[in-house]
Amino acid sequence: MLSIDEAFRKFKSRLELNDREQQNAASRHTEVREYLGTKFDISRSFLTGSYARHTKTKPLKDIDIFLVLAEKEKHYRTESPSIVLEDFRKVLADKYGKKSVRKQARSINVDFGVVIDAEDNTDYRVVSIDAVPAFDTSREYEIPDAESDDWIKTDPEIHKEKATAAHQAYSNEWKGLVRMVKYWNNNPLHGEKPIKPSFLIEVMALECLHGGWGGRFDYELQGFFSTLADRVCDEWADPASLGPPISKAMDLDQKQRAVRLLSTASRQASLAIDHVRQGRNGEALRAWRELFGPKFPLS
Ligand SMILES: Nc1ncnc2c1ncn2[C@@H]1O[C@H](COP(=O)(O)OP(=O)(O)OP(=O)(O)O)[C@@H](O)[C@H]1O
Ligand SMILES: [Mg+2]
């Protein structure tokens, strides 16, 4: 029978980006960029966000593409953020269909109609992307935020450096743990996602996973869930100290719900650990599977 450590290693690798997925993401990026380039003056574009940092979970949804607007489009920066978002939406809807294109606070989501099977597999395809119009101010980027009706500053490089440093300080296990908890967050059993935005999980992990990798996935995750429950009500700033607090998206009710669900996860983890102590390996595997969802292996 699969040991708990083997199961976690398998789970971790299932949440890793593989070559075929990277190829699909690259070709979607090229497709979107080339199309938008015929409608807007775009100086350059790149894949960013959790995808680029390897902290995105599966299935691959909402991959961020920054589209850096050139001089000719500067007028948008003086207008309300919703103007550029609406113009992006219209243009993308012409190509991908109105129903597949959605305006969000900071980006336009394009859904490619990929089917997700019961095991959360997508045949190595990206489900959707977030097209983010951006201006390069040379020190950082400014992106539209329709929620605050303002432009916000962001620096993907700083976020990437912090994630890399945290990963290295944690024996290269940090990103795997972040992807696992983001996968838990997406478990449809919860209904609404407990933690929003899921970037908040990564931001909290920068502080909540410290002291070094202890060598056991089960202990690490139990402790991580428990610390997240303790600290999810705190205010969490942008790690680059540029944009609005990452914790701003949840109201008090949502935070209290997150505390409950994270505490439950921590308890489920403790029970799973106890199953192993009592020699009930199969029970433990099933408990982790229930906690995380179909990508956690039973065999
Ligand atoms: N409040 C903010 N201030 C500054 N930058 C932000 C803020 N929120 C998000 N970002 C940046 O924008 C990127 C994309 O945001 P998004 O919410 O898609 O997070 P993500 O890390 O890509 O997580 P997910 O896996 O949920 O897509 C983040 O990775 C981060 O670099
Ligand atoms: Mg993202």
Side-chain angles (χ1 to χ4, degrees), residues 10-66:
K10 200 164 177 180
F11 180 41
K12 182 177 105 164
S13 85
R14 285 177 174 180
L15 299 182
E16 261 156 23
L17 266 180
N18 59 52
D19 290 348
R20 286 175 71 185
E21 289 163 338
Q22 275 170 303
Q23 275 163 26
N24 187 250
S27 75
R28 286 303 193 185
H29 170 209
T30 306
E31 169 190 317
V32 168
R33 193 251 138 93
E34 282 178 357
Y35 172 66
L36 285 173
T38 65
K39 310 286 179 180
F40 299 93
D41 195 4
I42 293 170
S43 57
R44 59 201 170 81
S45 68
F46 54 95
L47 289 161
T48 183
S50 58
Y51 172 82
R53 292 192 300 272
H54 293 257
T55 51
K56 180 155 291 293
T57 198
K58 300 282 177 81
L60 290 175
K61 287 184 185 171
D62 310 341
I63 292 190
D64 299 287
I65 305 176
F66 267 31

Side-chain angles (χ1 to χ4, degrees), residues 23-269:
Q23 275 163 26
N24 187 250
S27 75
R28 286 303 193 185
H29 170 209
T30 306
E31 169 190 317
V32 168
R33 193 251 138 93
E34 282 178 357
Y35 172 66
L36 285 173
T38 65
K39 310 286 179 180
F40 299 93
D41 195 4
I42 293 170
S43 57
R44 59 201 170 81
S45 68
F46 54 95
L47 289 161
T48 183
S50 58
Y51 172 82
R53 292 192 300 272
H54 293 257
T55 51
K56 180 155 291 293
T57 198
K58 300 282 177 81
L60 290 175
K61 287 184 185 171
D62 310 341
I63 292 190
D64 299 287
I65 305 176
F66 267 31
L67 298 134
V68 183
L69 297 173
E71 201 56 38
K72 220 176 105 191
E73 311 292 356
K74 269 270 146 70
H75 63 97
Y76 279 120
R77 179 59 190 82
T78 61
E79 295 163 358
S80 164
S82 63
I83 310 268
V84 68
L85 289 169
E86 178 56 18
D87 285 358
F88 263 53
R89 189 201 61 78
K90 269 194 234 133
V91 157
L92 287 164
D94 287 342
K95 180 171 169 68
Y96 293 100
K98 211 172 160 184
K99 284 195 183 132
S100 304
V101 173
R102 207 160 32 92
K103 190 171 162 184
Q104 306 176 133
R106 296 176 191 160
S107 59
I108 303 302
N109 184 264
V110 180
D111 190 297
F112 300 118
V114 169
V115 175
I116 303 171
D117 74 12
E119 301 290 293
D120 271 348
N121 294 321
T122 61
D123 195 21
Y124 309 101
R125 285 172 299 171
V126 169
V127 175
S128 58
I129 58 104
D130 284 344
V132 186
F135 286 105
D136 188 349
T137 70
S138 80
R139 294 178 59 195
E140 65 260 324
Y141 294 93
E142 289 180 337
I143 61 169
D145 182 32
E147 207 128 289
S148 62
D149 194 29
D150 209 348
W151 293 76
I152 64 165
K153 290 186 195 304
T154 186
D155 189 339
E157 272 312 305
I158 298 183
H159 295 159
K160 191 176 169 183
E161 282 160 20
K162 295 216 163 182
T164 304
H167 190 57
Q168 285 170 355
Y170 224 73
S171 305
N172 298 329
E173 298 291 359
W174 188 89
K175 292 184 185 186
L177 294 172
V178 170
R179 285 195 300 269
M180 288 176 195
V181 174
K182 285 173 85 168
Y183 188 73
W184 164 84
N185 198 46
N186 288 349
N187 191 334
L189 282 181
H190 304 309
E192 200 189 329
K193 285 182 192 168
I195 300 182
K196 283 195 287 194
S198 61
F199 180 47
L200 180 58
I201 295 169
E202 181 174 339
V203 170
M204 290 193 284
L206 290 171
E207 286 189 30
C208 296
L209 287 176
H210 55 82
W213 167 247
R216 276 185 59 167
F217 285 99
D218 51 1
Y219 284 16
E220 289 289 338
L221 283 155
Q222 191 278 323
F224 190 20
F225 278 122
S226 165
T227 311
L228 291 175
D230 287 342
R231 300 197 55 191
V232 72
C233 292
D234 295 356
E235 180 165 281
W236 292 90
D238 169 17
S241 310
L242 290 169
I246 312 304
S247 50
K248 225 176 85 174
M250 283 194 284
D251 63 24
L252 189 60
D253 278 353
Q254 288 170 314
K255 284 182 183 170
Q256 284 168 346
R257 177 175 181 266
V259 172
R260 280 197 306 277
L261 292 168
L262 286 162
S263 306
T264 303
S266 156
R267 231 172 6 254
Q268 283 174 291

